[in-house]
């Protein structure tokens, strides 16, 4: 789960990681009021969206007059922001963060992730702050320094020294202390909130020698949301794809992809294999949809409805290996969804497993128009042929 920068900075502030004074607003009226409370000039107006690279996309504006704060807020609010991390259609900005501007002396990168190979949290620090860390990692990996945390010991002060004392030139003793304190606090946030990522880019030393987190990104491990109730309240559903949101509501594993073949499959492994075979047949999947082993008739109905609502879909492949999910339940779910929506694209069905005869019979006796495939390769071939015919 992702949260917004202003929410992450609120958590930072409460955890002893200094952040600039700021307030989030959703309208230009609020912006007018807020720029009188926040110290400036300069002020920084930042689009609050679940995507990075906002600086490059014009989503971060440094301004010098109160009226500019308002015009900057107006120019962002309600508009789509395109950054290197969004698609070409961008993401709509509903809120902007107004902050007091900071005089930056030095910029660093500081982040924490889980290193799966080492099965430990990794603190990543770099002198090359403010830049895309992926680029730094591929072009100048020697500028990135890492410390792994032994979970039973936790973050140790010497690890902070290992990172900070590699800086050249060395910051002032006061700044060194603040950087080390920030690292210890980042680890604490990472642990207590079950994060998959905590990232500060840039972490800066200001002209007056203060260490401040100018940006903040926190991702929470979805598997821990059952015990992170406070965090769950920060969830902003306006940032999500409406079809993905609907899938989430019905416990379906659905991810939108770039192609035009809608696929409904049970089991993540089979779903991935199905996508591979679709590609092998010369077509592209429009989605990943795993309805899961124990899918109910309602889940099948909703899953099928989601695919039907995706206007890019030119053909649909249902590939079900009935185990715990019985083929007759699948067939009834599909028919129910088809009652409400007229299916205008070719439908290819491949069913195997528990109650397969009954499932096939239900489909055959309906007035649903579909093609039957005996195996996965045939199914993918049929579905690819359908879209290539349409194109
Ligand atoms: P991102 O591009 O989405 O990662 O957004 P950031 O929050 O990192 O902002 C982008 C860039 O704006 C930063 O790398 C800084 O260089 C700049 N920036 C942000 N806040 C301030 C500020 O208070 N003063 C100055 N001078 N620059 C800032
Ligand atoms: Mn940033």
């Amino acid at each position: 789960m992702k949260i917004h920068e202003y929410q992450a900075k609120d958590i930072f502030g409460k955890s002893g990681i200094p952040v600039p004074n700021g307030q989030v607003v959703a309208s230009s009226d609020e912006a007018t009021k807020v720029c009188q409370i926040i110290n400036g000039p300069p002020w920084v107006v930042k689009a609050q969206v679940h995507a990075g690279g906002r600086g490059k996309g014009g989503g971060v504006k440094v301004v010098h007059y109160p009226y500019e704060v308002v015009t900057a807020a107006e120019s962002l609010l309600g508009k789509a922001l395109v950054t290197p991390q969004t698609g070409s259609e961008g993401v709509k900005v509903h809120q902007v963060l107004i902050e007091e501007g900071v005089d930056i002396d030095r910029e660093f990168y500081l982040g924490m992730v889980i290193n799966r190979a080492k099965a430990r949290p990794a603190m990543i620090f770099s002198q090359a702050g403010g830049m895309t860390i992926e680029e730094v990692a591929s072009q100048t990996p020697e500028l990135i320094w890492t410390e792994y945390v032994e979970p039973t010991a936790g973050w140790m002060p010497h690890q902070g020294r290992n990172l900070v004392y590699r800086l050249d030139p060395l910051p002032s003793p006061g700044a060194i202390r603040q950087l080390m304190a920030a690292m210890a606090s980042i680890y604490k946030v990472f642990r207590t909130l079950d994060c998959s990522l905590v990232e500060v880019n840039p972490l800066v030393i200001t002209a007056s020698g203060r260490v401040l987190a100018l940006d903040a990104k926190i991702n929470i491990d979805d598997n821990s949301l059952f015990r992170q109730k406070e965090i769950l309240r920060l969830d902003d559903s306006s940032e999500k794809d409406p079809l993905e949101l609907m899938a989430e509501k019905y416990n379906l594993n659905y991810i939108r992809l770039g192609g035009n073949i809608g696929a409904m499959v049970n089991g993540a492994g089979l779903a991935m294999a199905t996508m591979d075979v679709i590609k092998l047949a010369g077509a592209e999947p429009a989605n990943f949809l795993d309805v899961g082993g124990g899918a109910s008739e309602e889940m099948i109905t909703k899953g099928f409805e989601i695919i039907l609502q995706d206007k890019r879909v030119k053909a649909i492949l249902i590939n079900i290996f009935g185990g715990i999910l019985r083929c007759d339940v699948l067939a009834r779910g599909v028919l129910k969804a088809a009652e409400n929506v007229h299916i205008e694209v070719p439908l290819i069905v491949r069913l195997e497993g528990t109650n397969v005869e009954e499932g096939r019979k239900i489909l055959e006796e309906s007035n649903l128009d579909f093609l039957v495939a005996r195996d996965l390769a045939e199914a993918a071939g049929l579905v690819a042929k359908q879209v290539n015919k349409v194109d």
Side-chain angles (χ1 to χ4, degrees):
M1 178 187 145
K2 294 178 176 173
I3 62 174
H4 286 296
E5 175 193 9
Y6 78 90
Q7 296 167 327
K9 280 181 167 166
D10 190 41
I11 292 169
F12 277 9
K14 288 175 183 148
S15 312
I17 305 161
V19 294
N21 284 326
Q23 204 165 315
V24 72
V25 302
S27 69
S28 60
D29 283 351
E30 285 177 82
T32 311
K33 287 185 200 127
V34 165
C35 66
Q36 284 154 16
I37 314 166
I38 305 293
N39 275 340
W43 291 273
V44 184
V45 182
K46 309 180 78 176
Q48 297 300 289
V49 291
H50 286 177
R54 294 165 304 165
K56 285 183 184 148
V60 177
K61 297 185 192 297
V62 182
V63 296
H64 301 275
Y65 297 97
Y67 78 87
E68 285 184 312
V69 173
V70 180
T71 41
E74 279 171 352
S75 75
L76 293 169
L77 287 168
K79 313 261 167 35
L81 177 69
V82 180
T83 85
Q85 291 182 23
T86 67
S88 55
E89 69 266 44
V91 284
K92 197 164 172 191
V93 181
H94 299 286
Q95 292 164 298
V96 296
L97 174 63
I98 299 172
E99 283 187 332
E100 69 183 41
V102 176
D103 199 357
I104 301 172
D105 179 25
R106 293 178 73 180
E107 292 185 287
F108 309 108
Y109 173 96
L110 180 63
M112 181 158 256
V113 290
I114 295 285
N115 182 305
R116 287 174 187 271
K118 295 201 189 300
R120 285 176 183 196
M123 185 78 78
I124 300 163
F125 185 53
S126 178
Q127 188 147 310
M131 315 216 269
T132 314
I133 198 67
E134 289 82 1
E135 272 170 35
V136 181
S138 70
Q139 283 156 27
T140 46
E142 68 279 5
L143 294 183
I144 294 182
W145 311 316
T146 307
E147 281 284 328
Y148 300 99
V149 187
E150 156 61 56
T152 52
W155 179 253
M156 304 295 274
H158 75 270
Q159 297 187 288
R161 287 192 290 276
N162 285 348
L163 295 175
V164 174
Y165 278 87
R166 296 177 77 160
L167 290 173
D168 182 22
L170 206 57
S172 70
I176 289 177
R177 264 196 303 278
Q178 294 174 67
L179 286 170
M180 288 185 37
M183 288 173 181
S185 302
I186 293 278
Y187 176 69
K188 206 164 159 198
V189 169
F190 189 88
R191 272 301 295 256
T192 49
L193 297 184
D194 294 312
C195 299
S196 55
L197 171 81
V198 177
E199 190 179 67
V200 191
N201 188 22
L203 175 72
V204 304
I205 302 180
T206 67
S208 60
R210 283 184 71 203
V211 169
L212 275 183
L214 278 208
D215 194 5
K217 186 169 176 180
I218 295 183
N219 293 350
I220 314 293
D221 183 344
D222 290 344
N223 296 308
S224 68
L225 289 176
F226 74 96
R227 64 181 187 191
Q228 295 292 350
K229 299 277 186 261
E230 288 291 310
I231 289 286
L232 208 50
R233 271 198 256 144
L234 304 180
D235 199 15
D236 183 354
S237 53
S238 71
E239 289 287 317
K240 292 183 192 156
D241 178 284
L243 294 182
E244 289 190 357
L245 208 62
M246 181 169 160
E248 196 172 290
K249 198 169 145 202
Y250 292 97
N251 265 323
L252 298 161
N253 298 313
Y254 172 84
I255 298 162
R256 240 175 101 104
L257 301 167
N260 57 8
I261 308 253
M264 183 158 82
V265 189
N266 66 326
L270 189 59
M272 285 197 269
T274 305
M275 294 196 304
D276 284 349
V277 178
I278 288 173
K279 282 186 176 233
L280 207 61
E284 291 287 330
N287 65 274
F288 172 96
L289 172 57
D290 161 24
V291 293
S296 63
E297 191 177 312
E298 190 193 21
M299 284 167 76
I300 299 286
T301 307
K302 291 297 168 190
F304 200 53
E305 271 177 29
I306 289 170
I307 294 179
L308 292 173
Q309 279 182 33
D310 187 342
K311 295 292 164 244
R312 306 164 308 157
V313 167
K314 297 279 183 285
I316 298 171
L317 170 58
I318 296 180
N319 183 25
I320 299 291
F321 190 86
I324 304 169
L325 167 64
R326 299 172 354 232
C327 292
D328 56 318
V329 172
L330 176 276
R332 272 192 287 270
V334 167
L335 288 189
K336 200 155 200 182
E339 272 171 21
N340 305 326
V341 198
H342 180 61
I343 306 176
E344 284 159 354
V345 297
L347 174 64
I348 287 95
V349 180
R350 184 243 171 182
L351 289 183
E352 264 331 317
T354 314
N355 292 3
V356 64
E357 294 310 331
E358 205 180 327
R360 287 203 183 117
K361 197 158 153 244
I362 292 170
L363 290 177
E364 271 153 23
E365 285 172 0
S366 72
N367 48 19
L368 196 64
D369 195 12
F370 64 96
L371 299 167
V372 175
R374 288 286 144 186
D375 61 38
L376 181 48
E378 190 191 358
L382 275 172
V383 86
K385 205 162 108 194
Q386 295 300 324
V387 289
N388 293 335
K389 205 159 66 186
V390 173
D391 290 350

